[in-house]
């Protein structure tokens, strides 16, 4: 039995609309939205009765997705030592972009803040981290020296 693909990465957020707008500005497309609730959902997550607004964002190539979740019930928690699936946060997601400076400028208009500096790794990449909505840590990478 072989792994077929990675379906998505889930991120729990407080501001679903603002986070959707941020990822749209980055270049992801809103694939769909739904409210997930009911006993079946709670059985999967182990949270019991839950109600969650989700938005599925897709990369332009159609191969990767981010599932943004805003938990209505139960309330979110921030305990990462014993974190259940409705805990806020993750380490970071890294996106490859055509032009890191232009992307930074657009995302700053959505409240993004540069963490540290834009740096160059050899002749291969320009890289940086930014903070997006709710403090989400996002990595940006621009490939250098190749046809893009």
């Amino acid at each position: 039995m072989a792994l077929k693909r990675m379906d998505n990465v889930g991120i729990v957020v407080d501001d679903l609309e603002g986070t959707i707008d941020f990822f749209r500005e980055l270049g992801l497309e809103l694939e769909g939205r739904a409210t997930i609730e009911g006993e079946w959902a709670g059985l999967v997550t182990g949270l019991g009765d839950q109600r969650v607004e989700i938005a599925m964002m897709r990369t332009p190539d159609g191969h990767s997705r981010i599932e943004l979740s805003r938990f209505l019930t139960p309330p979110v928690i921030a305990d990462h030592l014993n974190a259940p699936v409705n805990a806020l946060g993750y380490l970071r997601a890294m996106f490859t972009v055509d032009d890191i400076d232009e992307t930074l400028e657009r995302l700053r208009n959505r409240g993004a803040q540069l963490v540290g500096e834009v740096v160059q790794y050899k002749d291969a990449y320009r890289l940086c981290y930014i903070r997006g909505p709710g403090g989400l840590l996002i990595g940006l990478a621009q490939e250098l020296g190749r046809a893009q």
Side-chain angles (χ1 to χ4, degrees):
M1 183 165 164
L3 178 72
K4 287 184 166 185
R5 68 177 181 268
M6 184 182 81
D7 193 60
N8 67 67
V9 172
I11 304 172
V12 176
V13 300
D14 285 328
D15 178 3
L16 187 60
E17 295 301 325
T19 307
I20 290 170
D21 290 344
F22 179 85
F23 280 111
R24 274 185 167 154
E25 191 67 48
L26 181 57
L28 277 75
E29 302 164 17
L30 179 62
E31 188 173 67
R33 294 182 70 156
T35 299
I36 307 299
E37 59 188 328
E39 185 178 341
W40 71 271
L43 291 173
V44 168
T45 63
L47 294 174
D49 189 29
Q50 68 181 38
R51 188 163 191 260
V52 186
E53 294 177 315
I54 66 161
M56 192 65 74
M57 307 290 298
R58 181 182 59 236
T59 57
D61 65 5
H63 294 297
S64 302
R65 289 173 180 75
I66 293 178
E67 180 182 304
L68 303 173
S69 302
R70 179 176 169 261
F71 277 79
L72 304 172
T73 56
V76 296
I77 66 160
D79 173 11
H80 293 283
L81 297 176
N82 297 300
V85 297
N86 64 329
L88 292 173
Y90 67 113
L91 178 55
R92 65 125 175 94
M94 176 72 74
F95 296 93
T96 300
V97 298
D98 289 331
D99 182 329
I100 205 166
D101 297 314
E102 185 269 336
T103 302
L104 278 171
E105 190 59 35
R106 284 188 298 108
L107 295 178
R108 280 186 176 120
N109 292 331
R110 295 279 182 190
Q113 296 179 330
L114 185 64
V115 175
E117 301 176 22
V118 177
V119 299
Q120 185 163 326
Y121 175 71
K122 300 185 179 181
D123 291 330
Y125 289 97
R126 290 182 72 216
L127 305 159
C128 72
Y129 281 178
I130 58 174
R131 290 276 177 195
L136 295 176
L137 187 60
I138 306 289
L140 300 176
Q142 176 184 342
E143 293 178 309
L144 301 174
R146 310 180 200 189
Q148 297 175 17

